[in-house]
Amino acid sequence: GVVVSSDGKIAISASRDSTLNVWDLKSGLVVQTLTGHTSSVNGVAITQDGSIAVSVSKDRTLKVWDLKSGDVLRTLTGHTRSINRVVIASDERIIVSASDDCTIKVWNLKTKATLPSLHDDIGPISGVAITSDGRVAVATSGSFEPMVKIWDLKLGMELGAFEAHHSIPEWKVTVTWDGRVIISERFSQPASRVWKLENGVNVRNLDQRSEWR
């Protein structure tokens, strides 16, 4: 995965070689390599001020990085299988991670506390996104019954679920800034679906032949 800082100055790329590279987007050069994971790095997120990054790995850990020094500030443990995705809430307090162990874990970046996990009874969680206010998480899961699920992070309860891409596991999910629309992406196929978050209605399907009107 790759993430770009909000000011557009740096990008961070996650690699299968267990490292992360920090790129200066003006020069196109790697300015820092972050090392510490022991297996493939599957995802990375960055705070809005660009000072902190959080990475997740097949080694079942999350690492919190100081991007100024390149040091690991802390390592978060709790997942029992590979972690696939991580997102940071806009208030920079809450981290949400999605794992093959069928859980979504919620962490407080400031206090280091782990909040109650969200368990999925369908299968591994391949993608996760959160609304800008950090209240609602949207996750994609299920090897055999692909689903998009919506969770209330404050209450720790599932708000709804709907079938996704018909026997094709999801890979990535995005929520628009206003929290009204979900876009889910098929694994290994160039197609996406657009959903209304409030009711799970599939309002549009997108593929390489689609025209937006």
Side-chain angles (χ1 to χ4, degrees):
V2 179
V3 65
V4 178
S5 62
S6 60
D7 61 10
K9 292 183 177 180
I10 64 168
I12 306 175
S13 58
S15 173
R16 292 182 180 179
D17 68 4
S18 77
T19 68
L20 299 104
N21 282 330
V22 182
W23 303 79
D24 181 299
L25 292 179
K26 186 176 182 179
S27 67
L29 299 176
V30 175
V31 294
Q32 202 170 50
T33 297
L34 308 178
T35 60
H37 283 294
T38 59
S39 190
S40 174
V41 184
N42 295 330
V44 61
I46 187 171
T47 55
Q48 288 195 357
D49 64 6
S51 65
I52 301 292
V54 181
S55 58
V56 294
S57 169
K58 192 175 180 180
D59 67 12
R60 301 175 293 180
T61 69
L62 297 88
K63 289 189 181 293
V64 181
W65 306 85
D66 181 327
L67 291 179
K68 185 176 181 180
S69 66
D71 294 334
V72 177
L73 297 178
R74 65 186 69 101
T75 297
L76 305 176
T77 60
H79 283 294
T80 59
R81 295 186 66 185
S82 177
I83 310 173
N84 297 316
R85 292 289 182 273
V86 62
V87 289
I88 303 174
S90 59
D91 64 5
E92 302 185 355
R93 291 180 178 272
I94 299 298
I95 305 170
V96 181
S97 55
S99 171
D100 280 348
D101 65 9
C102 307
T103 68
I104 298 168
K105 289 192 179 296
V106 185
W107 318 77
N108 189 309
L109 184 59
K110 304 298 183 183
T111 66
K112 308 177 188 179
T114 305
L115 304 177
S117 298
L118 309 176
H119 293 271
D120 181 61
D121 57 2
I122 297 296
I125 312 294
S126 57
V128 67
I130 54 177
T131 53
S132 59
D133 61 8
R135 284 187 54 87
V136 177
V138 179
T140 54
S141 67
S143 296
F144 303 105
E145 297 180 63
M147 301 288 290
V148 175
K149 290 197 171 187
I150 304 169
W151 304 82
D152 185 309
L153 293 179
K154 186 175 182 179
L155 299 178
M157 64 180 293
E158 183 180 318
L159 299 178
F162 43 94
E163 186 179 356
H165 290 291
H166 304 295
S167 77
I168 300 173
E170 297 302 293
W171 183 245
K172 185 177 181 181
V173 65
T174 302
V175 179
T176 55
W177 183 253
D178 60 10
R180 298 174 62 185
V181 176
I182 304 166
I183 302 174
S184 61
E185 181 180 331
R186 287 184 182 182
F187 174 61
S188 75
Q189 292 198 16
S192 302
R193 287 189 173 186
V194 183
W195 315 81
K196 286 187 176 181
L197 190 148
E198 62 180 357
N199 56 18
V201 172
N202 180 199
V203 294
R204 186 180 294 273
N205 296 328
L206 304 175
D207 60 32
Q208 291 180 335
R209 299 176 300 277
S210 295
E211 294 183 4
W212 191 274
R213 296 175 180 174

